[in-house]
Amino acid sequence: GAGVSQSPRYKVAKRGQDVALRCDPISGHVSLFWYQQALGQGPEFLTYFQNEAQLDKSGLPSDRFFAERPEGSVSTLKIQRTQQEDSAVYLCASSLGDSPLHFGNGTRLTVT
Amino acid sequence: GQNIDQPTEMTATEGAIVQINCTYQTSGFNGLFWYQQHAGEAPTFLSYNVLDGLEEKGRFSSFLSRSKGYSYLLLKELQMKDSASYLCAVGPYSSASKIIFGSGTRLSIRP
């Protein structure tokens, strides 16, 4: 079956632009996580959904970051007015609820 | 607070054994994960320990000591394809809450 799918795979944005990153979780997975991974570092937690409810957004670095999952399936991470420090790989992961996280390949965002 | 420490880099020889250590100090503890991540790819699940002791799964074994806040991942009969980053992470198995990752150990295998 299909794994977690993220798009785009690569995104280059000019500083100040808005970006939207998409995550298609594995069908039926109720839990969905967003992580940010800087080069040479481990993934840093951003936010977590259970179905359509955003249960934890404590990791979002600023109010420029916003995530949604309106129908409890596909999720979008939006970053407004991108800054250079936003450059990273953004990983999405999903879980059935009683299983480990399954990660997508990520979106590599470069802000110039 | 949350603090997970693991070595930044390690090098080992093909066919040998390597042990990657991880120490953690967290405000809550449910269990400890090990994930493997090849460059440019998604992390993939290797193991989850919730009880003290050693769990073996093929060439990979993982050990946990809750009282010492310590874990290790043991890789035997190393193959070139084992060159990757190995991420230690703390959290609940059932993803009821967030999982906290260490910075990862980049393992290089030489022939």
Side-chain angles (χ1 to χ4, degrees), chain B residues 52-65:
Chain B
D52 286 359
L54 183 69
E55 295 210 5
E56 299 185 66
K57 194 186 294 185
R59 294 189 298 114
F60 292 8
S61 302
S62 56
F63 172 85
L64 176 67
S65 169

Side-chain angles (χ1 to χ4, degrees), chain A residues 7-102:
Chain A
S7 61
R9 188 81 171 88
Y10 302 93
K11 176 69 179 177
V12 179
K14 291 189 176 170
R15 191 173 55 183
Q17 280 185 329
D18 297 349
V19 298
L21 313 180
R22 177 186 169 104
C23 173
D24 277 275
I26 293 172
S27 179
H29 278 198
V30 299
S31 301
L32 185 145
F33 292 76
W34 284 98
Y35 283 82
Q36 180 191 61
Q37 187 172 27
L39 190 64
Q41 299 296 312
E44 295 275 349
F45 170 80
L46 294 177
T47 186
Y48 159 59
F49 291 85
Q50 186 163 331
N51 295 307
E52 68 277 4
Q54 189 174 20
L55 299 185
D56 188 339
K57 55 181 181 180
S58 62
L60 296 176
S62 77
D63 58 8
R64 296 186 295 105
F65 286 70
F66 172 76
E68 60 183 6
R69 193 185 186 198
E71 297 178 359
S73 178
V74 171
S75 177
T76 304
L77 177 67
K78 297 179 179 177
I79 309 173
Q80 297 176 323
R81 305 181 303 281
T82 52
Q83 304 294 316
Q84 283 192 317
E85 61 262 28
D86 300 335
S87 296
V89 174
Y90 290 85
L91 293 168
C92 176
S94 70
S95 167
L96 199 52
D98 61 352
S99 63
L101 298 183
H102 296 261

Side-chain angles (χ1 to χ4, degrees), chain A residues 9 31 33 35 37 40-43 45 48 50 56 58 91 95 97-105 108, chain B residues 8 33 35 37 40-45 48 87 92-104 106:
Chain A
R9 188 81 171 88
S31 301
F33 292 76
Y35 283 82
Q37 187 172 27
Q41 299 296 312
F45 170 80
Y48 159 59
Q50 186 163 331
D56 188 339
S58 62
L91 293 168
S95 167
D98 61 352
S99 63
L101 298 183
H102 296 261
F103 282 87
N105 284 330
R108 181 179 297 278
Chain B
T8 304
F33 294 87
Y35 276 81
Q37 186 177 27
E41 297 183 10
T44 54
F45 171 78
Y48 182 70
L87 301 165
Y93 183 84
S94 63
S95 307
S97 181
K98 61 191 177 187
I99 295 171
I100 305 299
F101 285 84
S103 295
R106 188 162 63 246

